[in-house]
Every structure is written in C-alpha cells, then in structure tokens.
C-alpha cells in the first residue's frame, strides 16, 4: 500500500499564510491555515494507506487526529524538504500539502487503489496557479525534486517534465485551486460549505470590516 505524506507548517500567526495578510489579520490567516490542515488530515485519516505521515515544520496541536505519525521537516528550500519527505519512505508514496482542504478520499482514490501503480511511475496533481498539490512516486527518488523552482508559475510544468524526463509514466489527478489569496479562500470555502475551512472563512469575514473583503 501507499504511504500518504502531508507537508505542512504549524498554524501559528505570522508563520503561515502570510500572503493572506492583508486583508486577513495574522490571527485570521493562522485560523484559516489550521482549519485547512485539520480538514486535510481528516481526509487523510479516512484514506487507505500503509502509513500516514505529517511532515511538520513546528509542533503538533489539537488539530492532529489519531493514526497519523509526525516527522520533522528538514532544513533548506521547499524542494529539499519535499525530497527529504520522500526519502523517509520505502515503496510508493503520495505527497500532498495543507492548502487544498477540498480534497476527498474519492479524489485521492485513483492514486491509492490496488492498481494505482500498475504501469505507472508517478502521479501528479496540478494546481490552478501553475504549481502542484499532489505528487506520487512509485519509488522514492528524492533527486527528482531537488532543484525544481518552487512557488513560481512554472513549478508544476518543471516538476512534471522532471518526471517524464526520467522515463516515468505519469498519471494525472484533477487540477485544484490551492489557498494562497483571499480570492482562493472564498472560492475554496464555497466548494466545501460544511467544512472547518468554510467555518473559519465565515468567522473571519464576519469579524472584518466590510471594505476589507471587497
């Protein structure tokens, strides 16, 4: 079975989702990050997996559900931290972030099922902003991530080209919007109205000045 990896930061004000401030305050941005992480981990806990590992920058909190291991992130850029997460695994692994709380077990199922790796070397989940929200490897090959420019409009294209250039057959997951801006918050919350994330977004909107969400 596949190992499920989630890479995340501890949702502390001023350390996460800084691109949301403004219009959100650091406290509101951290609350949104915590809700997104909690929703993501709840989904992961409900998925079939050999292991479920949260690769965390910081300390776990009450938002961590049972059944999920915690491992510290290494130092370095995001490419190094993603590479190190895969290096912890033996056999197939699927890595996701904390920025797509709209994921569901059904959405991840193609990459986690019994035939997920039959004739497949990698799974790739593109993000609407040009990055990627999911990356799966049949075998841990950290070198496929090192040196990929992260957080740019071409990150996803470069990473996918790395995979195909290494001779891997790549299967794609749906394109998702990750939460980086206030517009993303509204769009994603609307997709999952009964989620912790939607509740956090509604609370932040209610506490704000109307002009701050224009």
């Amino acid at each position: 079975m596949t190992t499920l990896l989630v890479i995340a930061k501890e949702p502390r004000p001023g350390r996460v989702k800084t691109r949301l401030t403004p219009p959100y305050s650091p406290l509101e941005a951290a609350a949104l990050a915590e809700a997104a992480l909690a929703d993501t981990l709840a989904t992961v806990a409900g998925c079939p997996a050999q292991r479920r590992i949260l690769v965390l920058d910081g300390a776990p909190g009450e938002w961590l559900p049972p059944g999920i291991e915690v491992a510290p992130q290494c130092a370095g850029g995001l490419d190094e931290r993603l590479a190190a997460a895969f290096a912890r695994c033996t056999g197939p692994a699927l890595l996701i972030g904390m920025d797509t709380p709209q994921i569901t077990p059904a959405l991840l199922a193609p990459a986690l099922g019994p035939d997920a790796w039959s004739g497949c070397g990698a799974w790739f989940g593109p993000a609407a902003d040009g990055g990627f929200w999911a990356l799966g490897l049949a075998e841990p090959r950290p070198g496929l991530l090192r040196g990929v420019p992260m957080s740019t409009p071409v990150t996803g294209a470069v990473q996918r080209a790395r995979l195909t250039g290494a001779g891997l057959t790549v299967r794609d997951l749906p394109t998702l919007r990750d939460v980086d801006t206030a517009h993303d918050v509204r769009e994603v919350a609307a997709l999952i109205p009964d989620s912790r994330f939607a509740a956090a977004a509604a609370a932040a909107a209610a506490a704000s000045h109307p002009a701050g969400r224009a």
Side-chain angles (χ1 to χ4, degrees), residues 2 42 62 147 206:
T2 300
E62 295 180 356

Side-chain angles (χ1 to χ4, degrees), residues 12-104:
R12 289 172 52 193
R15 294 191 69 250
V16 292
K17 293 298 164 198
T18 55
R19 288 173 60 185
L20 294 180
T21 57
Y24 298 100
S25 71
L27 191 63
E28 290 169 338
L32 288 164
E34 179 175 333
L37 180 54
D39 284 337
T40 299
L41 293 176
T43 294
V44 166
C47 289
Q50 180 181 15
R51 298 170 68 192
R52 301 168 186 84
I53 306 174
L54 172 63
V55 186
L56 183 64
D57 176 3
E62 295 180 356
W63 38 263
L64 180 69
I68 295 180
E69 306 170 43
V70 178
Q73 287 187 29
C74 73
L78 181 55
D79 61 321
E80 290 288 346
R81 287 178 277 140
L82 296 180
F86 278 103
R88 292 180 174 274
C89 303
T90 56
L94 178 70
L95 181 145
I96 62 175
M98 61 183 284
D99 297 337
T100 49
Q102 70 269 41
I103 61 169
T104 63

Side-chain angles (χ1 to χ4, degrees), residues 37-193:
L37 180 54
D39 284 337
T40 299
L41 293 176
T43 294
V44 166
C47 289
Q50 180 181 15
R51 298 170 68 192
R52 301 168 186 84
I53 306 174
L54 172 63
V55 186
L56 183 64
D57 176 3
E62 295 180 356
W63 38 263
L64 180 69
I68 295 180
E69 306 170 43
V70 178
Q73 287 187 29
C74 73
L78 181 55
D79 61 321
E80 290 288 346
R81 287 178 277 140
L82 296 180
F86 278 103
R88 292 180 174 274
C89 303
T90 56
L94 178 70
L95 181 145
I96 62 175
M98 61 183 284
D99 297 337
T100 49
Q102 70 269 41
I103 61 169
T104 63
L107 189 148
L108 297 177
L112 297 174
D115 298 324
W117 303 103
S118 177
C120 175
W123 283 89
F124 188 77
D129 63 0
F132 61 92
W133 65 270
L135 178 63
L137 294 173
E139 299 177 359
R141 297 178 62 179
L144 292 177
L145 292 100
R146 293 192 177 104
V148 173
M150 296 290 164
S151 302
T152 78
V154 298
T155 294
V158 173
Q159 183 62 75
R160 199 179 191 287
R162 280 282 191 94
L163 304 175
T164 57
L168 300 181
T169 299
V170 181
R171 294 178 183 165
D172 291 305
L173 292 165
T175 300
L176 296 184
R177 177 186 295 274
D178 52 14
V179 176
D180 287 320
T181 67
H183 177 70
D184 296 331
V185 170
R186 294 189 292 270
E187 291 290 314
V188 171
L191 295 173
I192 45 174

